């Protein structure tokens, strides 16, 4: 059975770390196979804002986005149909590893347009269980 520490803390007043809790559960006769910290895999991701989204000149289903990451504007080619100016998105900057497939984000030219990052959906981050439409866009 998998559960989050935050979920458990809703029902029990706990002042234990995950490791301490695992030790206590083991002492009570419950097997703890592993402890994972999902936040570690998501640490490199940034909340950014799409400032401009235009149709890709050479691809009907792609959009060329100007994304502000809080420090600079970044060009990103995106395939999400809901990519539009003014929305906040999850940005995987260059060098970030996508947790669901292990892909490392690199600069690329996509159909002649520069792309320096990736806008991620909840499904790509492994968070689809928390959202009804996790795989339908960003």
């Amino acid at each position: 059975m998998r559960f989050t520490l935050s979920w458990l803390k809703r029902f029990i007043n706990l002042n234990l770390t995950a490791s301490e809790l695992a030790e206590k559960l083991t002492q009570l006769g419950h097997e703890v196979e592993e402890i994972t910290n999902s936040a570690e895999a998501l640490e490199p991701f940034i909340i950014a804002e799409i400032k401009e989204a235009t149709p890709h000149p050479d691809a009907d289903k792609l959009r060329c986005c100007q994304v502000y990451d809080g420090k600079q504007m970044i060009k990103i080619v995106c395939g999400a149909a809901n990519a539009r100016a003014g929305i906040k998105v999850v940005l995987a900057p260059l060098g970030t590893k996508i947790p669901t497939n292990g892909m490392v984000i690199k600069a690329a030219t996509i159909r002649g347009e520069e792309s320096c990052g990736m806008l991620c959906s909840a499904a790509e981050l492994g968070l689809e269980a928390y959202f009804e439409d996790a795989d339908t866009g960003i």
Side-chain angles (χ1 to χ4, degrees), residues 7 10 13 17 23 27 37 40 49 53 62 71 75-77 80 88 95 98 100 102-103 117 133-135:
W7 175 83
R10 283 197 270 170
N13 185 11
T17 66
E23 186 178 325
Q27 290 171 355
N37 184 348
E40 289 174 353
E49 181 178 1
L62 297 177
K71 297 177 185 171
K75 293 181 183 181
I76 297 178
V77 176
K88 301 287 194 271
I98 304 299
T100 55
M103 179 177 70
D133 59 352
D135 61 345

Side-chain angles (χ1 to χ4, degrees), residues 70-126:
K71 297 177 185 171
Q72 63 184 342
M73 294 296 284
I74 302 170
K75 293 181 183 181
I76 297 178
V77 176
C78 178
N82 63 341
R84 63 191 180 284
I87 65 170
K88 301 287 194 271
V89 293
V90 177
L91 167 66
L94 297 178
T96 301
K97 183 177 180 180
I98 304 299
T100 55
N101 62 17
M103 179 177 70
V104 177
I105 302 303
K106 299 176 185 169
T109 301
I110 301 172
R111 294 218 170 169
E113 296 293 320
E114 179 183 20
S115 186
C116 295
M118 178 178 167
L119 303 182
C120 300
S121 70
E124 291 162 328
L125 299 173

